[in-house]
Amino acid sequence: MDELTLLSEFRSEMSGPTAAETDAARAALIAAMAQVRPGQPRTKPSGRRFWLPLAAGTCAAAVGIAAAAVVASGPRPIRPAAKPAVLTAAIVLRKAASAAASQAAGHGRFFVSESEYIDPSNGRDVPAQRTIWIGNGVTGRLLDRGWGATGSPIPPGLSFGRGVITWSQLLSLPTAPGPLLAKIAGASRDNGQPLVQAEFATIVGLLFESPTTPALRAALYLAASRLPGVTLVPAAHDLIGRAAAEVYVPPGFAGNGGDALFFDPSTSAVLGVATLVGSNLQCPPAWEAAVLAAGYVNSTFQLPAGAPASLRPVTWRRAVPGCPASASGQPSASPSPS
Amino acid sequence: MSSGQPDAELITRSGSDPSAFAGVFDRHHAELYRYLRRRVDRGLAADLAAETFVIAFARRGAYSADTQDARPWLYGIAHNLLRNHWRAERRQLAAYARHGADPLADADAAVAFSLADSRADAAAVSAKLAQILAAMADRDRDVLLLFAWADMSYAEISQALAIPVGTVRSRLHRARRQLRALVSADSLTAEALTAEALKHTETRAWTN
């Protein structure tokens, strides 16, 4: 048997696409075709959630694969796009994973994250500042000006699905996306949400205010990219107006909101998180936070590099008719002095 | 119906009738997916295959109507996408070589594979093949796998990867020589081969 015959048998047992995978690929192509259908008026984005009516229509089966603009006009029947921009949630999540995988690990006794948040569902509709020091085997500290926690000591512990894990347990999580996703699924069952939303929420919880290693961060982004239905919100911005990749898992028919993650695909940095309300994505989230700075320090009085001296002005969506009362709060025009 | 029409005709027609491009999808998607699936995990293969056709559709205006078969063009797009995942591919091949279990295998396929006595020989050398594929230069591996798995000619590979035919020939020659040497290297231990493959993999991972 020669080397090419052996090679031709290598992985020859791999199966072809499933019907769902074929359907998803076809739906992505059909969505691209729809952009250039002759005579069809082009839809111009009018806001952050402009894509929702489209997504609810013919593209619903695309399972998170959305096609971006394709330009075809002019005297010839076809004009290729100069630079096709085809982005899906899976692509940007994998890009973030790739960025994370090439980074060096940080070190310190504490991981500190400073963020700014709005919490209208709890009546806190002005921006507040929160700084959390998470200790590696030691007590940390929480300074939350919105909740009045002025340097409260906190025990070691990080959110993990329904429970809490320690820093060292976090570092012992698998860094291969498959086994990691299995762990995440185990920790996410029976939390009251559909499993995929719960898994996504667990991933968000592990990424936000958390001392993930680059390998774990990469695995978390890859795990998120594998969740069925994970969706990218085009042209999104975080709470303080930074351009961000925003991904979330659309709610099912139950209409429960889920979590959204804002991140920078080129650096893998988490920029913020939000808790969505119901199925109307035009409604302001119930809660939203933007990470101002994060990093490793050796005392609970040190701040991470790049921590700003004051809060940033926030960009908050206006509620539209029909939004739940808990989501209709509007923040002040400028941040509150802390 | 698109069954009898060459790819070039469908692609040209899709300029005025975008739906004609669906015929290209129906003809090539499953095969392209299967090729990608042998190189990366299931989720990524599905994404890359889907993305390939979306990009191909966007670029159909640049397609040369002289080329009847769209496979080289489609595989070329797929390889441009796959390039971002070379490192992951090497790691998975190295893991296969190290543990003897294919990280890309589906659970059901792995069971079926282990029960198939007739393929025991192939299973026995799979780890060695994974070693040499992991250690091989990425560009050489692309040429080799297009030749062996996509059944492409030198000219088609040249077109897909946008390289001269002479370069295809030299890369394929080098890749086959490495493969041949490994398959016949009975005197070398699996551990030594694994260490060698991993050394190459690690070196490239830090220099990418």
Side-chain angles (χ1 to χ4, degrees), chain A residues 3-4 7-12 14-18 21 25-26 29 32-33 36 77-78 80-81 90-91 94 226, chain B residues 15 18 22 25-26 29 33 38 41-42 44 47 51 57-58 61 96 102 104 119 122 126 144 147-149 176 180:
Chain A
E3 73 280 2
L4 283 180
L7 184 61
S8 69
E9 292 193 8
F10 184 73
R11 288 179 173 164
S12 60
M14 294 296 180
S15 55
T18 63
E21 287 169 336
R26 186 179 285 113
L29 181 60
M33 289 173 178
V36 294
I78 305 166
I91 291 170
R94 285 200 301 267
R226 293 183 177 190
Chain B
F25 175 90
D26 291 340
H29 174 261
Y33 173 99
R38 293 173 82 169
D41 65 57
R42 174 174 284 280
L44 185 54
D47 287 347
E51 202 179 342
F57 178 75
Y96 190 174
D102 191 352
L104 300 191
R119 302 178 67 178
S126 287
L144 177 68
F147 186 77
W149 289 352
R176 289 189 65 173
R180 206 176 298 129

Side-chain angles (χ1 to χ4, degrees), chain A:
Chain A
M1 190 177 283
D2 71 3
E3 73 280 2
L4 283 180
T5 307
L6 285 174
L7 184 61
S8 69
E9 292 193 8
F10 184 73
R11 288 179 173 164
S12 60
E13 75 280 7
M14 294 296 180
S15 55
T18 63
E21 287 169 336
T22 303
D23 288 347
R26 186 179 285 113
L29 181 60
I30 289 170
M33 289 173 178
Q35 299 287 324
V36 294
R37 191 164 294 151
Q40 183 191 35
R42 292 175 63 89
T43 308
K44 186 174 181 180
S46 57
R48 186 165 171 269
R49 309 287 191 186
F50 69 91
W51 53 271
L52 180 64
L54 292 176
T58 57
C59 302
V63 198
I65 300 178
V70 176
V71 179
S73 60
R76 290 192 305 165
I78 305 166
R79 179 178 295 172
K83 187 178 180 185
V86 182
L87 286 178
T88 68
I91 291 170
V92 294
L93 286 163
R94 285 200 301 267
K95 185 175 179 187
S98 179
S102 63
Q103 291 167 350
H107 298 285
R109 292 181 67 207
F110 299 94
F111 178 81
V112 56
S113 171
E114 187 162 67
S115 55
E116 178 174 346
Y117 70 90
I118 290 280
D119 190 7
S121 63
N122 279 306
R124 292 172 179 80
D125 57 2
V126 294
Q129 190 174 7
R130 167 186 165 97
T131 311
I132 185 169
W133 288 261
I134 298 160
N136 188 356
V138 296
T139 300
R141 180 167 170 252
L142 175 64
L143 186 63
D144 191 327
R145 293 183 174 88
W147 286 93
T150 53
S152 311
I154 54 167
L158 297 152
S159 162
F160 184 55
R162 299 182 312 278
V164 173
I165 56 174
T166 64
W167 185 320
S168 60
Q169 286 172 323
L170 176 82
L171 300 190
S172 67
L173 287 174
T175 53
L180 178 62
L181 204 46
K183 283 256 185 194
I184 287 168
S188 308
R189 293 185 200 285
D190 305 323
N191 83 340
Q193 288 178 300
L195 181 59
V196 174
Q197 275 193 341
E199 289 171 327
F200 185 71
T202 300
I203 291 172
V204 172
L206 288 171
L207 285 167
F208 178 61
E209 292 184 337
S210 176
T212 52
T213 59
L216 178 60
R217 197 159 57 251
L220 286 166
Y221 280 116
L222 286 176
S225 77
R226 293 183 177 190
L227 293 178
V230 64
T231 300
L232 176 71
V233 179
H237 293 83
D238 72 359
L239 182 64
I240 57 173
R242 294 175 295 197
E246 179 186 359
V247 294
Y248 78 111
V249 176
F253 290 109
N256 296 321
D259 288 342
L261 174 70
F262 298 81
F263 62 100
D264 180 347
S266 62
T267 66
S268 84
V270 173
L271 298 179
V273 295
T275 301
L276 305 176
V277 175
S279 56
N280 185 353
L281 296 176
Q282 293 181 328
C283 292
W287 176 86
E288 185 167 351
V291 177
L292 302 177
Y296 294 86
V297 295
N298 284 310
S299 97
T300 51
F301 292 92
Q302 276 183 280
L303 289 176
S310 60
L311 295 181
R312 308 272 181 85
V314 301
T315 307
W316 192 247
R317 276 157 281 165
R318 292 186 179 282
V320 298
C323 286
S326 62
S328 60
Q330 295 294 310
S332 327
S334 58
S336 65
S338 52

